[in-house]
Amino acid sequence: MNKKMLLVGIALVLVIIPLLGYDFDSDTGVERYQNGQLESTRDVYVDSIVNYIKHNYSILALRNSTIIDGTGAPPKEEQTIIVRSGKFHLIGNDDEVTIPRNAIVMNMRGKTIIPGLVGMHNHLHIPGFPDVGEVASKLYLAAGVTTIQTCGATDAGKELLLSDEIERGKRVGPNIVPSAPFVNGPGGNPNMIIPKNWGHLKDTIGYWLNRGVKWIKVYRNVDPDDLEVIIDMAHSNGAKVRGHLCSVTFEEATNFGIDGIEHGLNSASDFRTDKAYGLCGGGREYMDQLDMNDPKVTSLQQQMIDMGVFLTSTLSIYEASVPGRIYLDDRAKSVMSPYLIGRYEERLKEAQRHRDDMTRELRLKRIMAFERQYFKMGGLLCSGVDAGRHIVPGFGDQRNFELLREAGFKTEEAIQVMTGNGAKVLERNDIGSIAVGKKADFVILDGSLVNDTSVIHKVNTVFKNGLGYDPGKLIGDAQGKFGLE
């Protein structure tokens, strides 16, 4: 065989081998090239991360996709998404996007693709357990939450460490935007910052700012003067302040320059009767009587909007206190420790004695209406789980979607609240929506989310930075571990 014939033969082999090596997996919907296109995750990630990775391809094409993109735009069908090197590379109609020859192709018929959820009140602790970070991180990611802001830390040093380890691929979990310890007034928990004087306050806040923390949360009994100092220091250092308020009203905090407020109507002491300045007290009749059309409600909301204050919805944790709504789904029960399951069973027995009491049910409806009105007026509403009671990280975020839909939000609006709006609050233009150039953080759901709200729980794969994680393995590893004593 002469040299020319040999070269021709080699060329033919190079053309034919990829074609012979191509197959379609009908169970996963993945079309595969068996010629080495799958990258080796072990070259980049430690074994403990590799075990959870389901898909790791340099170029991925998602065909026949239904996309809810996180901007509030209506869903788009028959779309093709090209993911390249961990980012969204091309997005368009199926008949308009050319699929790269070396792409792995996944058929998304019958599925819904949404951005990775951005949890904006997603602690790494729960009452009685100051550090559940390792298990909670797996549960957040398994549920499609790819970024969290922790909204107050009980152990800020551990949060910083975990955030760094996940960023470096040493642990599995969402991207974590950590917090400083809570700042409170008299009556706070020992792991909170309770200022002795302004010198103590400034030194402590300065310490956490110097460590790179960009978020400070104030709590129910914070002194108004302390809050002003905290806001000034934070803003001078490019950081933000958010609050679960009571001693300070929404109006006062807005005038001070606070960036965000948690829990909505339930923590709005503006409407309490006999409320004394700087103290958490007064009557809460407003929760049973307040009309959302009352000018004092709309004027407060407009002031907050005008001053750029975001509001964080935490509907699932409030629902957990409504007697007629207390439930525990099988997934949550499977990951909870025996202690937490026992506490739930005690809570359920107590709730059953008050099933006919509609007080908290009606309050939940008012909280929903307050948030819906804030959103419709143009306010920046985001969402988080505030895990506790029997509300588990990640699963509670998913429940928030269903509750937002119940509150009157369209599917695309609820997804916007839980994704794009959170990214805006974090001032992150690289996450929060499905758009060319952004990080490929997205969730594949089995079914039509537009037609069935329960599809939010049916997570097929969670992609973060273009890597596809297996939710079943993440949840499986957390069995019985959440809330171990």
Side-chain angles (χ1 to χ4, degrees), residues 413-450:
E413 291 174 335
I415 293 299
Q416 177 189 358
V417 167
M418 299 178 69
T419 60
N421 283 6
K424 286 181 180 178
V425 171
L426 294 175
E427 296 183 346
R428 292 282 300 274
N429 58 14
D430 59 338
I431 60 171
S433 62
I434 298 173
V436 171
K438 293 195 175 187
K439 289 185 177 181
D441 291 0
F442 63 97
V443 186
I444 300 175
L445 302 170
D446 289 328
S448 171
L449 188 61
V450 175

Side-chain angles (χ1 to χ4, degrees), residues 27 38 55 74 124 159 161 198 229 282 332 366 372 378 421 424 457:
D27 292 330
L38 176 60
H55 300 302
L124 296 174
E159 278 197 9
L161 177 62
W198 279 2
V229 171
R366 278 193 171 81
R372 175 68 175 154
N421 283 6
K424 286 181 180 178
H457 303 286

Side-chain angles (χ1 to χ4, degrees), residues 85-124:
S85 301
K87 293 185 177 182
F88 294 115
H89 180 65
L90 287 173
I91 303 169
N93 297 329
D94 285 334
D95 58 358
E96 295 176 351
V97 175
T98 300
I99 296 175
R101 183 182 175 279
N102 60 340
I104 298 296
V105 183
M106 299 177 68
N107 183 8
M108 295 290 101
R109 183 78 65 192
K111 304 182 188 300
T112 304
I113 298 177
I114 62 173
L117 304 183
V118 180
M120 287 300 296
H121 194 123
N122 290 44
H123 298 307
L124 296 174

Side-chain angles (χ1 to χ4, degrees), residues 364-475:
L364 175 61
K365 298 295 185 183
R366 278 193 171 81
I367 294 169
M368 288 177 167
F370 185 87
E371 293 175 359
R372 175 68 175 154
Q373 183 164 283
Y374 194 73
F375 177 85
K376 294 300 287 185
M377 290 174 63
L380 187 55
L381 181 71
C382 55
S383 176
V385 59
D386 192 16
R389 300 190 184 102
H390 50 281
I391 303 303
V392 174
F395 301 153
D397 292 275
Q398 294 173 340
R399 180 59 180 161
N400 279 341
F401 170 78
E402 295 176 299
L403 293 171
L404 287 168
R405 292 285 285 114
E406 182 181 334
F409 291 79
K410 297 177 183 178
T411 298
E412 58 266 29
E413 291 174 335
I415 293 299
Q416 177 189 358
V417 167
M418 299 178 69
T419 60
N421 283 6
K424 286 181 180 178
V425 171
L426 294 175
E427 296 183 346
R428 292 282 300 274
N429 58 14
D430 59 338
I431 60 171
S433 62
I434 298 173
V436 171
K438 293 195 175 187
K439 289 185 177 181
D441 291 0
F442 63 97
V443 186
I444 300 175
L445 302 170
D446 289 328
S448 171
L449 188 61
V450 175
N451 297 326
D452 182 0
T453 58
S454 71
V455 166
I456 195 71
H457 303 286
K458 299 175 183 178
V459 178
N460 179 293
T461 312
V462 180
F463 281 81
K464 192 184 82 165
N465 295 331
L467 284 177
Y469 290 86
D470 187 331
K473 288 184 178 180
L474 290 163
I475 294 170

Side-chain angles (χ1 to χ4, degrees), residues 214-359:
K214 295 297 184 183
W215 285 86
I216 300 167
K217 180 181 177 183
V218 299
Y219 204 57
R220 292 167 52 86
N221 293 308
V222 66
D223 182 88
D225 292 335
D226 288 350
L227 178 56
E228 287 194 85
V229 171
I230 294 165
I231 291 171
D232 287 344
M233 286 191 67
H235 290 178
S236 296
N237 287 273
K240 292 188 177 184
V241 180
R242 57 197 307 178
H244 176 168
L245 302 177
C246 181
S247 57
V248 180
T249 66
F250 284 19
E251 181 180 11
E252 291 163 349
T254 297
N255 287 332
F256 293 157
I258 200 166
D259 298 285
I261 296 175
E262 311 305 303
H263 308 302
L265 184 65
N266 192 44
S267 62
S269 58
D270 304 67
F271 309 114
R272 289 188 181 222
T273 55
D274 302 319
K275 164 75 170 68
Y277 180 78
L279 297 178
C280 180
R284 283 173 51 84
E285 298 89 347
Y286 76 94
M287 285 296 294
D288 304 313
Q289 302 170 358
L290 195 62
D291 182 352
M292 292 305 110
N293 294 318
D294 189 318
K296 62 186 178 184
V297 175
T298 56
S299 63
L300 172 62
Q301 290 182 322
Q302 191 61 57
Q303 180 189 8
M304 293 168 61
I305 293 167
D306 291 343
M307 295 290 286
V309 178
F310 68 85
L311 190 68
T312 307
S313 171
T314 57
L315 294 175
S316 62
I317 190 62
Y318 190 88
E319 184 193 37
S321 70
V322 179
R325 286 176 173 256
I326 291 181
Y327 74 98
L328 183 62
D329 69 41
D330 291 339
R331 300 171 310 150
K333 187 174 183 179
S334 74
V335 301
M336 288 167 61
S337 68
Y339 171 78
L340 288 185
I341 291 174
R343 291 293 305 272
Y344 163 76
E345 291 172 347
E346 294 172 5
R347 201 175 299 116
L348 181 60
K349 289 178 182 178
E350 179 65 22
Q352 288 172 341
R353 290 193 284 268
H354 302 280
R355 290 188 68 88
D356 296 332
D357 185 349
M358 297 296 291
T359 300

